[in-house]
């Protein structure tokens, strides 16, 4: 049984739950991507293959940063849940899949353009060498191959969609690098920033907060409630957990220390 995702709007946790430093770093990367794009018209007359490389990197990085920023800036006060296979799932973002699809198209298109530009390269032009022209195309070929392999991982489901499933027995964490299962008794604490759970072994297990499009404080409250209230865990299998979240009857803020 799989229910459609439900987006709950609850009292705001006071922002996106993302440290200002992280937002500043993303903004800096976006500025670098825009810089690459602005350099394209200046590089094109001198070396077209460099223009293709700068343009492709700028577009791909900008798409990724915009997807992450949209997630971080729109998740405050929101909790996206659904009931699936006897568990309550914090739904992952579909946006990252679109970026996975777009990146190979961007790099393959730029690779074709860069390769065609080699045909028109004038070796007698001042400051131009065969290596100058061919090096960006080689880099584009590598980037196209890497992005295509990443897309294959998505299509073959070896690169998993990020999600968080809470069930009667414990917590299932799924992300691009794989999945893991944790029994409730193996968890001792939850923190929202960055979103993670503390195991009895004393190590923090990061949760895929950046791709969940849900407020990390609300996700932490959800996980903490069922970690700390064993008698309520049966609610995770039949939709009552979603009702509890909708009525804002989750555990208090678990703290960020």
């Amino acid at each position: 049984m799989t229910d459609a995702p439900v987006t709950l709007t609850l009292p705001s946790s006071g922002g996106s739950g993302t440290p200002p430093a992280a937002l500043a770093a993303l903004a800096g990367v976006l500025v670098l991507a825009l810089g690459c794009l602005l350099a394209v018209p200046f590089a094109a007359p001198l070396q077209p293959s460099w223009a293709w490389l700068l343009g492709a990197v700028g577009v791909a990085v900008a798409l990724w940063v915009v997807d992450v920023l949209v997630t971080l800036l729109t998740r405050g006060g929101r909790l996206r849940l659904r009931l699936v296979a006897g568990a309550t799932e914090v739904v992952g973002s579909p946006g990252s899949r679109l970026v996975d699809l777009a990146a190979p198209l961007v790099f393959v298109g730029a690779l074709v353009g860069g390769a065609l530009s080699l045909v028109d390269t004038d070796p007698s032009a001042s400051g131009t060498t065969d290596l100058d022209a061919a090096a960006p195309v080689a880099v584009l070929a590598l980037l196209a191959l890497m992005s295509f392999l990443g897309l294959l991982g998505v299509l073959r489901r070896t690169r998993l969609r990020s999600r968080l499933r809470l069930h009667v027995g414990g917590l299932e964490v799924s992300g691009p690098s794989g999945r893991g299962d944790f029994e409730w008794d193996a968890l001792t604490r939850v923190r929202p920033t960055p979103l993670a759970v503390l195991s009895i072994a004393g190590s923090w297990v990061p949760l895929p907060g950046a791709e969940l499009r849900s407020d990390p404080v609300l996700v932490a409250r959800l996980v903490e409630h069922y970690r700390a209230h064993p008698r309520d865990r049966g609610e995770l299998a039949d939709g009552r957990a979603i009702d509890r979240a909708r009525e804002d009857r989750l555990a208090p803020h678990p703290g960020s220390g």
Side-chain angles (χ1 to χ4, degrees):
M1 174 183 177
T2 301
D3 289 353
V6 175
T7 299
L8 307 178
T9 302
L10 300 174
S12 175
S13 64
S16 66
T18 304
L23 291 175
L26 284 169
V29 174
L30 182 58
V31 169
L32 289 176
L34 295 177
C36 288
L37 294 176
L38 291 174
V40 169
F42 298 97
L46 301 174
Q47 191 57 269
S49 58
W50 274 102
W52 282 106
L53 175 60
L54 290 171
V57 171
V59 170
V61 173
L63 287 174
W64 175 78
V65 173
V66 168
D67 175 63
V68 174
L69 284 175
V70 168
T71 297
L72 297 182
L73 296 175
T74 61
R75 66 185 185 177
R78 291 178 174 84
L79 189 58
R80 299 180 69 243
L81 304 174
R82 69 171 177 171
L83 182 65
V84 55
T88 298
E89 177 179 301
V90 183
V91 184
S93 166
S96 59
R97 308 298 97 172
L98 298 177
V99 174
D100 289 331
L101 174 62
L105 297 177
V106 169
F107 287 124
V108 170
L111 175 61
V112 172
L116 291 176
S117 73
L118 295 180
V119 178
D120 299 326
T121 298
D122 181 2
S124 64
S126 176
T128 298
T129 67
D130 290 341
L131 182 60
D132 289 332
V137 177
V139 174
L140 281 170
L142 178 61
L143 293 174
L145 176 61
M146 293 172 60
S147 62
F148 181 71
L149 292 176
L151 178 60
L152 283 181
V154 174
L155 297 177
R156 294 176 178 177
R157 297 186 179 182
T158 55
R159 185 180 187 278
L160 303 177
R161 183 188 296 274
S162 293
R163 70 185 183 206
L164 195 61
R165 283 185 177 175
L166 292 75
H167 53 85
V168 175
L171 191 66
E172 176 190 325
V173 182
S174 174
S177 59
R179 60 181 296 275
D181 290 287
F182 303 90
E183 296 182 356
W184 291 115
D185 290 343
L187 306 177
T188 63
R189 189 181 172 194
V190 185
R191 73 180 182 196
T193 51
L195 189 59
V197 291
L198 182 63
S199 70
I200 56 176
S203 59
W204 285 100
V205 179
L207 305 182
E211 291 191 24
L212 294 181
R213 288 205 190 278
S214 289
D215 191 318
V217 171
L218 297 177
V219 176
R221 287 182 58 197
L222 179 73
V223 174
E224 175 62 15
H225 181 90
Y226 291 102
R227 185 202 68 79
H229 298 83
R231 294 183 180 180
D232 292 341
R233 292 173 188 166
E235 301 172 354
L236 295 167
D238 57 18
R240 287 180 293 160
I242 297 177
D243 293 335
R244 178 182 290 275
R246 182 182 288 111
E247 297 164 6
D248 197 21
R249 294 186 289 113
L250 297 173
H253 189 306
S256 57

